């Protein structure tokens, strides 16, 4: 979208099919005692064989040193400037539980908290109450009526919920109520500019209503609201690239993200096996498929090196099934690294492979960080992956005479 | 021009001489059965020896995945942002036959076609009639007079010609007449905005005139017009870099391109041997020489791996002759890759070497894609080649105190 302003002029619709497999948290880092990364330790014969017949490289999700969340990490791979197209926390939380947002809606991340007799916070997470306890409370909050907007409350998990504000002239330029410390009262919502004053009033009215409903309880007797945000204006993925794209993801957030950019989200089951079966049964219907593999990120976030190795090894047997569908281009990429030695997302470059009939003679010895660093693609911003992908699929005409 | 806004402040004129040898379609791709690229297979001992004593790297002509035409590919190497400075097809065709264009002129690619009794296309290229047959027809078209502009017709080759429209207030924002299929009538020229209405009227009047002149013929009885375009406003190469530049190219298009950026075009013969002799005999007159080698691209476009290998081997013996002139800097670069496995231009990064007295201790083992990938320059946008070239020639002062 940003990297090449004439993209729409040179994109051409063709019968070729692309599968972009995004392995969440694909990249890792070298374990100090083992001297190797998770991908280097993992036995992944299918990925390695594929890498030996693919154009390989490393992607930088945002910039060296910048650690992306899943939103920016995915948007980059789809070709969107992740700095320009910011998705707020409230929106991401709402998308993550399949809440349909409309233009102008404001979403906030909410959570139950506990305050004392003076209204001062004693527990910002209300003892992390379970969903069993919080869902009835959410239903009570959902009944609150305020003037000037409709307020809807959707349970997320445990003590967390989404507050959705719908009405004319709302704005996300308001402050959060969480003071980040205990011993003080929750803050009031304040407008950051004059057009946000209505929204601040609506949000404060909701908080007052919540106190009326919950105030008599011992714990979870108040709420905190953070990350007020509206849907970004984001170019349509299919229109931009002249593709008919589909997304297959068992985790709701990735369905929400891809719906946001205009992909058709195909319902699927909870496992990657389900996702691959969904890919197979819908393979004739689209020319671009995004398919998401989650376990590598989860294990990395847990700081469990061996679990991440196992998660990568668990992906490997599915590669032949995907290749059996005979996609014209298979991309294996990651939205960001999640090194287990950090137990968190990181800024590290992420292995990339692009496999097409043009890459059969090139490749590297294995699919891991060190090998991909010497691949033919080199190191590129993740925002350029779509350009290379479309080029390999024969979907990009020559630029200029 | 874009990559460093202060370029003009730090450029300094010095006696040092630069030769930039642009090998058209220099880069290739690995042949799946041979496991090597054209440059890897070619025996090029002189280029390899030079690479072992040069700063080497890979250039990206536009962006990963973007395949440039020769226009953008060359403009990048000259330091112009190829996305900003677009040269239209009509202009390039006109430049290609040494037609002098003025500011405001509109050039279109024309070709003879054949229509049936109802005016419907039966052959969009009029049986590819030879120049012998088309040149007299071009002379007839050149006599057509229309109100509002002067129209000049210049034969290109076979069934192709250039139509040049000269007059006040013309615009290139008009549609083409080629419907791209037979069985329908040629389209009328339509204005894409209100300022182009005069141009559309002039072009349609010319087409009507062509029908009057040619309509009685069996074949080549009509014309098609495409790629209407005007000269871009482009900064002068010599003024920008404080150089006195010359261009040596046996193919007209490259003469036109370099004239467009303000280089002196030195007449030369049809072969690369002629070009090198021209370089030698004018070597004291300029401080920058662009010299163009075409055969590698032609062989790549034909999809002939072995012919491209031979074309690269055919260049190699000229390297010592160029070095004998003792240029302070010799650059060997390509405007884009033309892999024979694709039989077309491509987006692949292109080998680059910069040889100067400063590079004698560095280098890579051979001049090909894989070796250059590990060269000291790394991978750079082609728009930065001029900066490095001028730096090696001692023509760039320090930036900032």
């Amino acid at each position: 979208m940003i990297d090449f302003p004439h993209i729409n002029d040179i994109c051409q619709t063709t019968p070729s099919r692309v599968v972009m497999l995004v392995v969440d948290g694909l990249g890792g880092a070298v374990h100090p005692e083992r001297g190797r990364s998770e991908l280097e330790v993992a036995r992944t014969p299918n990925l390695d064989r594929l890498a030996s017949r693919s154009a390989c490289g490393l992607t930088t999700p945002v910039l060296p040193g910048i650690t992306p969340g899943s939103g920016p990490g995915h948007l980059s791979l789809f070709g969107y400037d992740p700095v320009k197209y910011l998705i707020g926390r409230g929106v991401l939380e709402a998308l993550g539980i399949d809440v349909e947002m409309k233009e102008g809606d404001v979403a906030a991340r909410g959570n139950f908290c506990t305050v004392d007799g003076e209204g001062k916070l004693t527990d910002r997470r209300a003892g992390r109450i379970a969903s069993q306890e919080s869902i009835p409370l959410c239903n009570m909050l959902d009944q609150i009526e305020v003037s000037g907007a409709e307020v809807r409350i959707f349970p997320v998990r445990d003590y967390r919920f989404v507050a959705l504000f719908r009405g004319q002239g709302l704005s996300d330029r308001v402050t959060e109520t969480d003071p980040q410390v205990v011993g003080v009262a929750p803050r009031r919502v304040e407008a950051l500019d004059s057009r946000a004053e209505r929204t601040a009033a609506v949000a404060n009215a909701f908080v007052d209503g919540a106190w009326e409903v919950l105030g008599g309880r011992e714990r979870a007797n108040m709420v905190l609201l953070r990350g007020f945000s509206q849907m970004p204006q984001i170019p349509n993925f299919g229109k931009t690239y002249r593709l008919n794209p589909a997304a297959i993801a068992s985790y709701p957030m990735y369905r929400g993200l891809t719906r946001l950019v205009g992909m058709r989200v195909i319902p699927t089951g909870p496992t990657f096996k389900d996702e691959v079966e969904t890919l197979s049964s819908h393979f004739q219907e689209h020319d671009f498929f995004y398919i998401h593999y989650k376990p590598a990120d989860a294990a990395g976030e847990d700081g469990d090196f061996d679990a991440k190795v196992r998660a990568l090894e668990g992906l490997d047997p599915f590669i032949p099934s995907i290749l059996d569908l005979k996609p014209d281009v298979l991309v294996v990429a990651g939205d960001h690294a999640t090194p287990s030695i950090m137990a968190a997302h990181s800024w590290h470059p992420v292995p990339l492979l692009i496999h097409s009939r043009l890459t059969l003679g090139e490749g590297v010895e294995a699919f891991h960080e060190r090998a991909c660093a010497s691949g033919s693609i080199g190191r590129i911003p993740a925002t350029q992956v779509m350009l290379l992908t479309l080029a390999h699929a024969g979907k990009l005409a020559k630029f200029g005479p």
Side-chain angles (χ1 to χ4, degrees), chain A:
Chain A
M1 324 277 152
I2 50 122
D3 278 328
F4 190 68
H6 303 282
I7 184 70
N8 203 252
D9 301 335
I10 60 167
C11 281
Q12 51 195 14
T13 304
T14 71
S16 63
R17 287 198 167 76
V18 173
V19 174
M20 176 181 275
L21 164 58
V22 176
V23 184
D24 211 295
L26 172 63
V30 172
H31 191 285
E33 274 113 56
R34 306 194 191 199
R36 292 192 291 166
S37 73
E38 300 91 329
L39 271 170
E40 285 177 304
V41 169
R43 278 160 309 213
T44 53
N46 293 300
L47 280 166
D48 293 346
R49 196 174 312 121
L50 186 64
S52 76
R53 294 160 62 80
S54 296
C56 296
L58 292 172
T59 58
T60 301
V62 183
L63 278 175
I66 303 297
T67 296
S70 293
H74 269 79
L75 287 181
S76 286
L77 284 177
F78 297 151
Y80 297 87
D81 177 354
V83 174
K84 181 171 175 191
Y85 298 104
L86 273 176
I87 303 178
R89 287 180 176 277
V91 170
L92 212 59
E93 194 89 336
L95 295 176
I97 54 169
D98 285 336
V99 170
E100 286 234 22
M101 285 190 70
K102 295 186 182 167
E103 206 184 308
D105 287 357
V106 172
R109 297 171 83 184
N111 60 266
F112 294 100
C113 60
T114 304
V115 295
D116 62 17
E118 296 173 24
K120 289 179 182 166
L121 279 162
T122 57
D123 185 338
R124 291 171 50 237
R125 294 186 185 83
R128 297 179 186 270
I129 56 167
S131 297
Q132 205 183 340
E133 183 174 348
S134 68
I135 288 174
L137 302 181
C138 286
N139 292 339
M140 289 158 67
L141 296 183
D142 196 44
Q143 308 299 320
I144 295 173
E145 294 198 356
V146 301
S147 88
E150 179 189 355
V151 186
R152 296 296 314 278
I153 303 301
F154 303 90
V156 175
R157 205 168 63 180
D158 301 339
Y159 59 98
R160 287 157 48 207
F161 60 86
V162 163
L164 187 77
F165 300 88
R166 179 168 291 169
Q168 291 296 310
L170 297 181
S171 162
D172 57 8
R173 300 274 301 140
V174 294
T175 60
E176 308 187 327
T177 73
D178 186 350
Q180 301 288 336
V181 289
V182 296
V184 300
R187 297 198 178 129
R188 302 296 284 176
V189 178
E190 285 170 27
L192 290 168
D193 62 42
S194 58
R195 280 171 307 172
E197 279 165 14
R198 266 266 312 288
T199 311
V202 163
N204 284 323
F206 167 73
V207 171
D208 294 341
W211 175 244
E212 280 176 33
V213 170
L214 305 172
R217 293 171 49 84
E218 289 240 330
R219 69 171 181 183
N221 56 9
M222 189 47 173
V223 298
L224 295 173
L225 298 177
R226 290 183 293 159
F228 290 89
S229 45
Q230 290 175 297
M231 295 268 279
Q233 296 266 337
I234 198 159
N236 183 282
F237 182 90
K239 281 191 186 143
T240 301
Y241 298 122
R242 300 187 190 279
L243 291 170
N244 173 20
I248 304 171
S250 57
Y251 273 62
M253 204 196 78
Y254 307 93
R255 292 198 295 269
L257 255 175
T258 47
R259 195 179 289 123
L260 184 69
V261 301
M263 294 191 197
R264 172 192 168 200
V265 174
I266 308 180
T268 191
T271 70
F272 191 66
K273 185 160 178 290
D274 295 324
E275 292 188 18
V276 173
E277 283 171 10
T278 303
L279 175 69
S280 175
S281 58
H282 292 266
F283 198 65
Q284 299 311 313
E285 298 167 22
H286 295 271
D287 52 13
F288 180 94
F289 294 89
Y290 155 79
I291 180 169
H292 182 249
Y293 183 76
K294 180 71 180 173
D297 179 59
E301 292 253 26
D302 289 342
D304 189 334
F305 191 95
D306 293 320
K308 184 162 177 199
V309 167
R310 285 193 302 274
L312 295 165
E313 290 177 343
L315 169 65
D316 196 65
F318 291 102
I319 299 299
S321 319
I322 297 174
L323 287 172
D324 282 348
L325 298 172
K326 303 204 182 307
D328 296 277
V329 178
L330 172 58
V331 179
V332 183
D335 54 347
H336 54 75
T338 308
S340 8
I341 60 166
M342 296 176 67
H345 292 195
S346 82
W347 61 86
H348 295 86
V350 185
L352 166 75
L353 73 75
I354 298 180
H355 180 74
S356 79
R357 66 174 182 83
L358 296 171
T359 65
L360 304 180
E362 56 188 314
V364 298
E365 79 272 19
F367 190 56
H368 54 62
E369 298 82 359
R370 244 183 281 235
C372 286
S374 62
S376 55
I377 293 175
R379 288 156 200 260
I380 58 169
T383 48
Q384 296 173 354
V385 169
M386 274 303 296
L387 297 179
L388 275 172
T389 300
L390 295 168
H392 277 272
K395 292 182 190 292
L396 280 191
K398 189 165 71 174
F399 168 61

